[in-house]
Amino acid sequence: MKLAKYSIGTGDRFGLQGKAQLAAFQKAQNEGVDLGIVWNKSYREHSIVKTTPDDVRTEADQAVKAVGWKGQYLVDADHIGLGNVDLFIKSSDFFTLDVADFIDKKAEESELVTFQKKYSHFVGNLTVPGLDDPIEITGELLREIAEKYLLAVKEAAAIYRHIKRTKKNGDFVTEVSMDETAEPQEPVDLLFILAALADEGVPVQTIAPKFSGRFNKGVDYIGDVERFRDEFEKDICVLNFSIDTFGLPAGLKLSIHSGSDKFSIYPVIRELIRKYDCGIHVKTAGTTWLEELIGLAESGGEALEIAREIYARSYDRFDELCSPYASVIDIDRMALPKPAELRLWSGETFVKALRHDQSCPEYDSNIRQLLHVGYKVAAEMGALYRNAIVSNEDAVARNVAENLYARHITPLFL
Protein backbone atom coordinates (compact mmCIF):
# COMPACT_ATOMS: atom_id res chain seq x y z
CA MET A 1 0.00 0.00 0.00
CA LYS A 2 1.36 3.41 -0.96
CA LEU A 3 0.43 6.43 1.12
CA ALA A 4 -0.76 9.54 -0.69
CA LYS A 5 1.89 12.21 -1.28
CA TYR A 6 0.11 14.57 1.11
CA SER A 7 -1.73 13.12 4.08
CA ILE A 8 -3.20 14.32 7.34
CA GLY A 9 -3.78 12.30 10.48
CA THR A 10 -7.12 13.34 11.96
CA GLY A 11 -7.88 12.41 15.51
CA ASP A 12 -11.50 12.03 16.60
CA ARG A 13 -11.68 11.26 20.30
CA PHE A 14 -15.39 10.39 20.33
CA GLY A 15 -15.83 9.05 16.81
CA LEU A 16 -18.54 11.53 15.84
CA GLN A 17 -16.82 13.85 13.36
CA GLY A 18 -15.88 11.62 10.46
CA LYS A 19 -18.25 13.29 8.00
CA ALA A 20 -17.25 16.79 9.13
CA GLN A 21 -13.58 15.97 8.70
CA LEU A 22 -14.20 14.57 5.24
CA ALA A 23 -16.04 17.75 4.28
CA ALA A 24 -12.74 19.62 4.68
CA PHE A 25 -10.91 17.06 2.55
CA GLN A 26 -13.60 17.18 -0.12
CA LYS A 27 -13.34 20.96 -0.25
CA ALA A 28 -9.58 20.66 -0.74
CA GLN A 29 -10.11 18.04 -3.43
CA ASN A 30 -12.45 20.43 -5.23
CA GLU A 31 -9.61 22.98 -5.11
CA GLY A 32 -7.27 20.50 -6.81
CA VAL A 33 -5.43 19.08 -3.76
CA ASP A 34 -5.69 15.34 -3.18
CA LEU A 35 -5.11 14.45 0.45
CA GLY A 36 -5.10 11.10 2.16
CA ILE A 37 -7.02 11.10 5.43
CA VAL A 38 -5.67 8.91 8.22
CA TRP A 39 -7.84 8.44 11.28
CA ASN A 40 -5.50 8.02 14.24
CA LYS A 41 -6.24 7.09 17.83
CA SER A 42 -3.72 5.82 20.35
CA TYR A 43 -3.98 3.02 22.86
CA ARG A 44 -4.06 5.61 25.67
CA GLU A 45 -6.95 7.46 24.04
CA HIS A 46 -8.90 4.24 23.54
CA SER A 47 -8.32 3.37 27.19
CA ILE A 48 -9.64 6.73 28.37
CA VAL A 49 -12.65 7.00 26.06
CA LYS A 50 -13.48 3.27 26.36
CA THR A 51 -13.40 2.57 22.64
CA THR A 52 -11.60 0.00 20.51
CA PRO A 53 -9.62 0.17 17.26
CA ASP A 54 -12.57 -1.52 15.56
CA ASP A 55 -14.69 1.52 16.46
CA VAL A 56 -12.32 3.78 14.51
CA ARG A 57 -12.54 1.53 11.46
CA THR A 58 -16.33 1.50 11.69
CA GLU A 59 -16.49 5.29 11.93
CA ALA A 60 -14.13 5.73 8.98
CA ASP A 61 -15.96 3.26 6.75
CA GLN A 62 -19.37 4.71 7.59
CA ALA A 63 -18.27 8.31 7.07
CA VAL A 64 -16.63 7.51 3.73
CA LYS A 65 -19.77 5.74 2.55
CA ALA A 66 -22.07 8.50 3.80
CA VAL A 67 -20.32 11.33 1.96
CA GLY A 68 -19.12 9.36 -1.06
CA TRP A 69 -15.44 10.05 -0.44
CA LYS A 70 -13.31 8.79 -3.34
CA GLY A 71 -9.87 9.62 -2.01
CA GLN A 72 -7.50 7.55 0.08
CA TYR A 73 -8.42 6.83 3.68
CA LEU A 74 -6.62 4.78 6.28
CA VAL A 75 -6.85 3.92 9.97
CA ASP A 76 -3.71 4.41 12.04
CA ALA A 77 -2.58 2.23 14.93
CA ASP A 78 -1.08 5.28 16.57
CA HIS A 79 2.07 4.99 18.69
CA ILE A 80 1.98 1.24 19.15
CA GLY A 81 4.57 -1.28 20.32
CA LEU A 82 4.80 -5.04 20.58
CA GLY A 83 2.78 -4.96 23.79
CA ASN A 84 -0.41 -3.61 22.22
CA VAL A 85 -0.14 -3.93 18.45
CA ASP A 86 -2.32 -7.04 18.27
CA LEU A 87 -5.34 -4.98 19.33
CA PHE A 88 -4.95 -2.87 16.18
CA ILE A 89 -3.95 -5.36 13.49
CA LYS A 90 -7.41 -6.30 12.22
CA SER A 91 -8.77 -2.76 11.95
CA SER A 92 -5.69 -0.77 10.92
CA ASP A 93 -3.80 -0.33 7.68
CA PHE A 94 -1.38 2.36 8.89
CA PHE A 95 0.96 1.57 11.78
CA THR A 96 2.95 4.17 13.71
CA LEU A 97 5.77 2.19 15.30
CA ASP A 98 6.80 4.11 18.40
CA VAL A 99 10.30 3.11 19.50
CA ALA A 100 11.35 6.23 21.40
CA ASP A 101 11.68 4.23 24.63
CA PHE A 102 14.48 2.21 23.03
CA ILE A 103 16.62 5.20 22.08
CA ASP A 104 19.87 5.39 24.08
CA LYS A 105 19.71 1.69 24.88
CA LYS A 106 22.54 -0.33 23.35
CA ALA A 107 22.18 -3.21 20.95
CA GLU A 108 24.46 -6.23 21.25
CA GLU A 109 28.15 -5.43 20.84
CA SER A 110 28.44 -7.70 17.79
CA GLU A 111 25.57 -5.83 16.13
CA LEU A 112 27.17 -2.47 16.84
CA VAL A 113 30.47 -3.62 15.39
CA THR A 114 28.79 -5.03 12.29
CA PHE A 115 26.88 -1.80 11.69
CA GLN A 116 29.95 0.39 12.13
CA LYS A 117 31.99 -1.81 9.79
CA LYS A 118 29.27 -1.91 7.11
CA TYR A 119 29.04 1.89 6.91
CA SER A 120 32.71 2.69 7.43
CA HIS A 121 32.94 3.67 3.75
CA PHE A 122 30.90 6.77 4.63
CA VAL A 123 33.68 8.04 6.89
CA GLY A 124 34.88 11.38 5.58
CA ASN A 125 32.91 14.22 4.05
CA LEU A 126 29.64 12.98 2.51
CA THR A 127 28.04 15.11 -0.17
CA VAL A 128 24.25 14.99 -0.06
CA PRO A 129 22.44 16.70 -2.96
CA GLY A 130 20.68 19.83 -1.77
CA LEU A 131 22.92 20.45 1.23
CA ASP A 132 25.28 23.41 1.06
CA ASP A 133 27.94 21.67 3.12
CA PRO A 134 29.02 18.03 3.20
CA ILE A 135 28.19 15.91 6.25
CA GLU A 136 31.31 15.12 8.24
CA ILE A 137 31.32 11.50 9.37
CA THR A 138 33.85 9.84 11.63
CA GLY A 139 34.15 6.30 12.91
CA GLU A 140 33.44 7.56 16.39
CA LEU A 141 30.26 9.26 15.19
CA LEU A 142 29.09 6.06 13.49
CA ARG A 143 29.60 4.20 16.76
CA GLU A 144 27.71 6.87 18.75
CA ILE A 145 24.75 6.78 16.36
CA ALA A 146 24.64 2.99 16.45
CA GLU A 147 24.74 2.94 20.25
CA LYS A 148 21.93 5.47 20.44
CA TYR A 149 19.55 4.26 17.71
CA LEU A 150 20.31 0.73 16.51
CA LEU A 151 18.30 -1.05 19.20
CA ALA A 152 15.33 1.26 18.53
CA VAL A 153 15.49 0.38 14.84
CA LYS A 154 15.63 -3.32 15.65
CA GLU A 155 12.55 -2.91 17.83
CA ALA A 156 10.74 -1.19 14.95
CA ALA A 157 11.72 -4.10 12.73
CA ALA A 158 10.39 -6.62 15.25
CA ILE A 159 7.04 -4.81 15.39
CA TYR A 160 6.89 -4.56 11.59
CA ARG A 161 7.63 -8.26 11.10
CA HIS A 162 5.02 -9.19 13.69
CA ILE A 163 2.39 -7.14 11.86
CA LYS A 164 3.43 -8.61 8.52
CA ARG A 165 3.14 -12.16 9.85
CA THR A 166 -0.17 -11.53 11.57
CA LYS A 167 -2.08 -9.24 9.23
CA LYS A 168 -3.78 -11.43 6.67
CA ASN A 169 -3.51 -9.23 3.56
CA GLY A 170 -0.14 -7.75 4.50
CA ASP A 171 -1.13 -4.47 2.86
CA PHE A 172 -0.35 -1.53 5.15
CA VAL A 173 1.67 1.64 5.58
CA THR A 174 4.59 1.73 8.01
CA GLU A 175 5.60 4.85 9.91
CA VAL A 176 8.47 4.97 12.40
CA SER A 177 8.20 7.46 15.26
CA MET A 178 11.22 8.75 17.17
CA ASP A 179 9.82 12.13 18.12
CA GLU A 180 8.92 11.51 21.74
CA THR A 181 12.46 11.82 23.04
CA ALA A 182 14.46 14.52 24.76
CA GLU A 183 16.85 15.55 22.00
CA PRO A 184 16.25 16.23 18.29
CA GLN A 185 17.90 13.99 15.74
CA GLU A 186 20.56 15.56 13.56
CA PRO A 187 20.41 14.94 9.79
CA VAL A 188 23.37 12.54 10.11
CA ASP A 189 21.43 10.61 12.77
CA LEU A 190 18.46 10.36 10.44
CA LEU A 191 20.71 9.17 7.61
CA PHE A 192 21.94 6.15 9.54
CA ILE A 193 18.58 5.46 11.17
CA LEU A 194 17.23 5.07 7.64
CA ALA A 195 20.21 2.91 6.68
CA ALA A 196 19.49 0.63 9.63
CA LEU A 197 15.77 0.44 8.76
CA ALA A 198 16.71 -0.58 5.22
CA ASP A 199 19.07 -3.24 6.60
CA GLU A 200 16.17 -4.64 8.62
CA GLY A 201 13.87 -4.69 5.61
CA VAL A 202 11.39 -2.19 7.02
CA PRO A 203 9.61 -0.45 4.09
CA VAL A 204 9.16 2.79 6.00
CA GLN A 205 7.01 5.33 4.16
CA THR A 206 7.01 8.08 6.77
CA ILE A 207 9.36 8.85 9.62
CA ALA A 208 8.68 11.21 12.51
CA PRO A 209 11.93 12.63 13.86
CA LYS A 210 12.27 14.93 16.81
CA PHE A 211 12.76 18.56 15.75
CA SER A 212 14.05 21.38 17.91
CA GLY A 213 11.50 23.57 19.65
CA ARG A 214 8.33 22.53 21.40
CA PHE A 215 5.40 20.86 19.66
CA ASN A 216 2.86 21.31 22.44
CA LYS A 217 -0.61 19.89 22.04
CA GLY A 218 -3.08 22.08 20.17
CA VAL A 219 -1.06 25.32 20.22
CA ASP A 220 1.50 26.98 17.99
CA TYR A 221 5.12 25.95 17.59
CA ILE A 222 7.43 27.37 20.24
CA GLY A 223 10.99 27.79 19.03
CA ASP A 224 13.29 29.25 16.42
CA VAL A 225 11.44 29.02 13.09
CA GLU A 226 14.65 29.52 11.09
CA ARG A 227 16.30 26.67 12.95
CA PHE A 228 13.29 24.49 12.18
CA ARG A 229 13.57 25.50 8.52
CA ASP A 230 17.20 24.42 8.45
CA GLU A 231 16.46 21.08 10.12
CA PHE A 232 13.42 20.36 7.98
CA GLU A 233 15.21 21.12 4.71
CA LYS A 234 18.25 19.05 5.63
CA ASP A 235 16.02 16.15 6.64
CA ILE A 236 14.23 16.29 3.28
CA CYS A 237 17.57 16.11 1.50
CA VAL A 238 18.68 13.19 3.64
CA LEU A 239 15.44 11.31 2.94
CA ASN A 240 15.78 11.85 -0.81
CA PHE A 241 19.38 10.67 -0.68
CA SER A 242 18.45 7.62 1.40
CA ILE A 243 15.76 6.43 -1.00
CA ASP A 244 18.28 5.71 -3.74
CA THR A 245 21.25 4.92 -1.52
CA PHE A 246 19.57 2.38 0.73
CA GLY A 247 16.71 1.22 -1.49
CA LEU A 248 13.90 2.65 0.63
CA PRO A 249 10.38 3.21 -0.76
CA ALA A 250 10.01 6.02 -3.28
CA GLY A 251 8.01 8.82 -1.74
CA LEU A 252 9.44 8.34 1.75
CA LYS A 253 8.46 11.48 3.63
CA LEU A 254 8.64 13.29 6.92
CA SER A 255 5.84 13.13 9.47
CA ILE A 256 5.09 16.01 11.81
CA HIS A 257 3.63 14.75 15.08
CA SER A 258 1.56 17.08 17.24
CA GLY A 259 1.38 19.02 13.99
CA SER A 260 -1.97 20.60 14.72
CA ASP A 261 -2.01 24.39 14.99
CA LYS A 262 1.73 24.85 14.32
CA PHE A 263 0.82 27.91 12.30
CA SER A 264 4.21 29.63 12.45
CA ILE A 265 5.99 26.75 10.69
CA TYR A 266 3.29 25.97 8.12
CA PRO A 267 4.71 28.51 5.63
CA VAL A 268 8.12 26.84 5.96
CA ILE A 269 6.68 23.37 5.39
CA ARG A 270 4.62 24.60 2.44
CA GLU A 271 7.63 26.30 0.83
CA LEU A 272 10.00 23.35 1.22
CA ILE A 273 7.67 20.56 0.14
CA ARG A 274 7.06 22.58 -3.01
CA LYS A 275 10.75 23.31 -3.51
CA TYR A 276 11.66 19.62 -3.33
CA ASP A 277 8.37 18.28 -4.73
CA CYS A 278 8.06 15.93 -1.78
CA GLY A 279 5.25 14.75 0.45
CA ILE A 280 4.37 15.35 4.08
CA HIS A 281 2.26 13.70 6.76
CA VAL A 282 0.81 15.92 9.50
CA LYS A 283 -0.97 14.61 12.58
CA THR A 284 -3.65 16.98 13.87
CA ALA A 285 -5.08 14.70 16.57
CA GLY A 286 -7.00 16.36 19.39
CA THR A 287 -8.04 19.60 17.72
CA THR A 288 -11.27 17.92 16.62
CA TRP A 289 -12.29 17.51 20.24
CA LEU A 290 -11.60 21.19 20.93
CA GLU A 291 -13.78 22.18 17.97
CA GLU A 292 -16.58 20.09 19.47
CA LEU A 293 -16.31 22.19 22.63
CA ILE A 294 -16.33 25.38 20.59
CA GLY A 295 -19.49 24.20 18.82
CA LEU A 296 -21.15 23.53 22.17
CA ALA A 297 -20.17 26.94 23.53
CA GLU A 298 -21.50 28.64 20.40
CA SER A 299 -24.79 26.82 20.73
CA GLY A 300 -25.55 28.28 24.15
CA GLY A 301 -28.05 26.96 26.66
CA GLU A 302 -27.46 23.47 28.00
CA ALA A 303 -24.65 22.88 25.50
CA LEU A 304 -22.74 25.88 26.82
CA GLU A 305 -23.31 24.71 30.38
CA ILE A 306 -21.78 21.32 29.52
CA ALA A 307 -18.71 23.06 28.10
CA ARG A 308 -18.42 25.16 31.26
CA GLU A 309 -18.74 22.04 33.42
CA ILE A 310 -15.99 20.27 31.48
CA TYR A 311 -13.69 23.22 32.13
CA ALA A 312 -14.56 23.28 35.84
CA ARG A 313 -13.88 19.57 36.32
CA SER A 314 -10.67 19.79 34.28
CA TYR A 315 -9.49 22.71 36.40
CA ASP A 316 -10.15 20.74 39.60
CA ARG A 317 -8.30 17.68 38.24
CA PHE A 318 -5.38 19.58 36.78
CA ASP A 319 -2.57 17.32 38.03
CA GLU A 320 -4.31 14.09 37.07
CA LEU A 321 -5.12 15.24 33.55
CA CYS A 322 -1.88 17.08 32.80
CA SER A 323 0.76 14.74 34.19
CA PRO A 324 0.55 12.17 31.33
CA TYR A 325 1.07 15.02 28.86
CA ALA A 326 3.67 16.98 30.83
CA SER A 327 6.25 16.91 28.03
CA VAL A 328 3.83 18.33 25.43
CA ILE A 329 1.93 21.02 27.30
CA ASP A 330 3.07 24.21 28.98
CA ILE A 331 0.30 25.73 31.10
CA ASP A 332 0.56 28.70 33.43
CA ARG A 333 -1.70 27.26 36.10
CA MET A 334 -2.01 30.54 37.97
CA ALA A 335 -3.27 32.29 34.84
CA LEU A 336 -6.25 29.96 34.42
CA PRO A 337 -9.59 31.55 35.32
CA LYS A 338 -11.37 30.05 38.31
CA PRO A 339 -14.37 27.88 37.35
CA ALA A 340 -16.75 30.26 39.13
CA GLU A 341 -15.47 33.09 36.95
CA LEU A 342 -15.71 31.10 33.73
CA ARG A 343 -19.29 30.03 34.54
CA LEU A 344 -20.26 33.68 34.12
CA TRP A 345 -18.81 33.87 30.62
CA SER A 346 -21.05 34.08 27.60
CA GLY A 347 -20.71 31.51 24.86
CA GLU A 348 -18.98 34.13 22.72
CA THR A 349 -16.36 34.81 25.41
CA PHE A 350 -15.74 31.08 25.87
CA VAL A 351 -15.31 30.61 22.13
CA LYS A 352 -12.88 33.52 21.83
CA ALA A 353 -10.73 32.10 24.61
CA LEU A 354 -10.68 28.58 23.17
CA ARG A 355 -10.56 29.08 19.40
CA HIS A 356 -6.96 29.20 18.15
CA ASP A 357 -7.06 32.68 16.68
CA GLN A 358 -3.89 34.42 17.82
CA SER A 359 -5.10 37.75 16.46
CA CYS A 360 -7.92 37.68 19.03
CA PRO A 361 -6.96 39.40 22.32
CA GLU A 362 -9.17 36.99 24.29
CA TYR A 363 -7.45 33.84 22.97
CA ASP A 364 -6.00 31.89 25.92
CA SER A 365 -3.46 29.15 25.23
CA ASN A 366 -3.63 28.01 28.86
CA ILE A 367 -7.35 27.27 28.64
CA ARG A 368 -6.86 25.61 25.26
CA GLN A 369 -4.14 23.28 26.51
CA LEU A 370 -6.02 22.34 29.67
CA LEU A 371 -9.14 21.47 27.73
CA HIS A 372 -7.05 19.60 25.15
CA VAL A 373 -6.16 17.07 27.86
CA GLY A 374 -9.58 17.35 29.49
CA TYR A 375 -11.30 14.97 27.07
CA LYS A 376 -11.24 12.38 29.85
CA VAL A 377 -13.85 14.48 31.67
CA ALA A 378 -16.12 14.49 28.63
CA ALA A 379 -15.63 10.74 28.24
CA GLU A 380 -16.80 10.22 31.81
CA MET A 381 -19.97 12.20 31.08
CA GLY A 382 -20.91 9.45 28.64
CA ALA A 383 -24.28 9.91 26.95
CA LEU A 384 -24.69 13.44 28.29
CA TYR A 385 -21.72 14.67 26.29
CA ARG A 386 -22.33 12.57 23.20
CA ASN A 387 -25.99 13.53 23.02
CA ALA A 388 -25.04 17.20 23.27
CA ILE A 389 -22.71 16.80 20.30
CA VAL A 390 -25.39 15.08 18.24
CA SER A 391 -28.04 17.64 19.24
CA ASN A 392 -25.77 20.50 18.17
CA GLU A 393 -24.33 18.77 15.15
CA ASP A 394 -24.60 21.72 12.77
CA ALA A 395 -22.50 24.06 14.92
CA VAL A 396 -20.01 21.35 15.87
CA ALA A 397 -19.53 20.00 12.35
CA ARG A 398 -19.12 23.49 10.91
CA ASN A 399 -16.30 24.24 13.37
CA VAL A 400 -14.60 20.89 12.83
CA ALA A 401 -14.60 21.24 9.04
CA GLU A 402 -13.60 24.91 9.06
CA ASN A 403 -10.73 24.26 11.46
CA LEU A 404 -9.27 21.52 9.27
CA TYR A 405 -9.76 23.34 5.99
CA ALA A 406 -9.00 26.97 6.82
CA ARG A 407 -6.37 26.63 9.53
CA HIS A 408 -4.56 23.46 8.44
CA ILE A 409 -5.14 22.40 4.86
CA THR A 410 -5.18 25.89 3.31
CA PRO A 411 -1.88 27.23 4.72
CA LEU A 412 -0.11 23.93 4.04
CA PHE A 413 -1.38 23.01 0.60
CA LEU A 414 -3.49 25.73 -1.06
Side-chain angles (χ1 to χ4, degrees):
M1 181 179 293
K2 185 176 180 180
L3 183 61
K5 183 177 182 178
Y6 303 135
S7 53
I8 295 182
T10 57
D12 191 358
R13 297 284 195 260
F14 298 96
L16 298 170
Q17 302 308 318
K19 291 186 290 185
Q21 291 169 336
L22 282 173
F25 283 72
Q26 287 177 313
K27 193 171 181 179
Q29 193 174 63
N30 292 337
E31 295 290 334
V33 178
D34 286 320
L35 294 166
I37 180 171
V38 184
W39 274 278
N40 51 268
K41 195 169 184 178
S42 69
Y43 177 79
R44 175 167 60 187
E45 289 156 9
H46 281 300
S47 300
I48 289 172
V49 182
K50 309 303 180 187
T51 52
T52 69
D54 286 348
D55 294 327
V56 181
R57 168 57 65 183
T58 298
E59 178 202 4
D61 290 345
Q62 290 179 348
V64 164
K65 183 178 180 180
V67 305
W69 172 246
K70 302 301 182 184
Q72 185 180 62
Y73 77 101
L74 301 144
V75 172
D76 181 8
D78 191 20
H79 286 283
I80 49 87
L82 279 175
N84 55 21
V85 64
D86 285 340
L87 298 172
F88 294 84
I89 285 179
K90 178 183 175 183
S91 57
S92 303
D93 44 21
F94 185 116
F95 291 83
T96 299
L97 315 183
D98 187 346
V99 293
D101 287 346
F102 293 85
I103 293 173
D104 282 323
K105 295 179 181 178
K106 289 184 182 180
E108 296 292 332
E109 179 62 25
S110 60
E111 295 171 330
L112 296 171
V113 170
T114 298
F115 182 86
Q116 188 175 6
K117 182 177 180 181
K118 179 173 182 178
Y119 292 103
S120 61
H121 65 282
F122 280 102
V123 169
N125 291 324
L126 176 67
T127 299
V128 174
L131 298 187
D132 293 335
D133 300 311
I135 298 177
E136 184 179 350
I137 301 170
T138 65
E140 292 77 11
L141 179 60
L142 272 177
R143 173 74 186 202
E144 290 174 8
I145 293 172
E147 287 183 354
K148 189 166 188 175
Y149 295 109
L150 188 58
L151 187 64
V153 169
K154 289 185 173 294
E155 181 67 13
I159 303 168
Y160 166 74
R161 286 193 284 268
H162 179 77
I163 298 167
K164 188 177 179 181
R165 285 194 304 268
T166 311
K167 194 165 179 64
K168 290 181 179 179
N169 63 11
D171 199 13
F172 57 91
V173 170
T174 302
E175 172 172 293
V176 174
S177 168
M178 294 191 173
D179 67 304
E180 293 191 358
T181 186
E183 299 176 356
Q185 287 94 41
E186 298 292 330
V188 67
D189 297 328
L190 187 58
L191 175 70
F192 289 108
I193 288 169
L194 292 170
L197 286 167
D199 287 344
E200 294 288 343
V202 180
V204 57
Q205 291 196 48
T206 83
I207 187 162
K210 169 80 170 180
F211 294 99
S212 63
R214 288 183 66 89
F215 286 75
N216 288 345
K217 295 289 187 179
V219 295
D220 204 354
Y221 172 77
I222 302 170
D224 184 338
V225 173
E226 287 307 309
R227 181 178 177 186
F228 173 82
R229 175 194 295 273
D230 182 66
E231 292 173 347
F232 191 76
E233 183 164 18
K234 287 178 177 176
D235 284 352
I236 289 174
C237 294
V238 165
L239 260 65
N240 290 339
F241 176 81
S242 298
I243 290 168
D244 293 331
T245 304
F246 306 128
L248 290 164
L252 169 64
K253 60 185 182 178
L254 292 169
S255 180
I256 308 292
H257 283 195
S258 295
S260 53
D261 298 68
K262 302 303 177 282
F263 302 141
S264 60
I265 61 172
Y266 284 178
V268 172
I269 296 172
R270 174 193 177 98
E271 173 193 337
L272 292 175
I273 61 176
R274 291 188 173 195
K275 176 179 178 180
Y276 290 96
D277 191 23
C278 62
I280 187 72
H281 182 63
V282 179
K283 290 198 174 185
T284 61
T287 51
T288 295
W289 138 249
L290 293 176
E291 297 303 319
E292 288 181 339
L293 281 181
I294 289 170
L296 292 181
E298 273 188 355
S299 298
E302 183 181 350
L304 171 59
E305 186 53 40
I306 289 172
R308 290 169 174 160
E309 181 64 20
I310 290 171
Y311 175 81
R313 295 186 192 181
S314 298
Y315 182 95
D316 291 341
R317 297 164 63 180
F318 183 96
D319 292 331
E320 172 200 345
L321 297 174
C322 293
S323 59
Y325 295 92
S327 64
V328 286
I329 56 176
D330 188 11
I331 301 173
D332 182 352
R333 189 172 186 173
M334 300 304 295
L336 289 167
K338 297 288 194 297
E341 175 189 345
L342 190 135
R343 287 188 188 279
L344 300 176
W345 287 6
S346 67
E348 180 182 7
T349 301
F350 196 123
V351 167
K352 286 181 178 179
L354 185 54
R355 179 177 285 145
H356 198 174
D357 177 1
Q358 295 179 77
S359 68
C360 177
E362 288 84 7
Y363 165 65
D364 191 324
S365 65
N366 296 302
I367 291 175
R368 186 171 172 85
Q369 289 179 90
L370 175 61
L371 285 171
H372 195 290
V373 301
Y375 68 94
K376 183 177 183 179
V377 172
E380 291 169 353
M381 287 182 169
L384 177 66
Y385 177 76
R386 292 176 180 273
N387 290 343
I389 296 301
V390 173
S391 298
N392 298 278
E393 181 179 357
D394 289 347
V396 170
R398 172 172 43 78
N399 279 286
V400 169
E402 182 67 11
N403 174 60
L404 262 178
Y405 179 78
R407 300 189 189 96
H408 294 85
I409 293 173
T410 295
L412 282 166
F413 304 112
L414 290 170

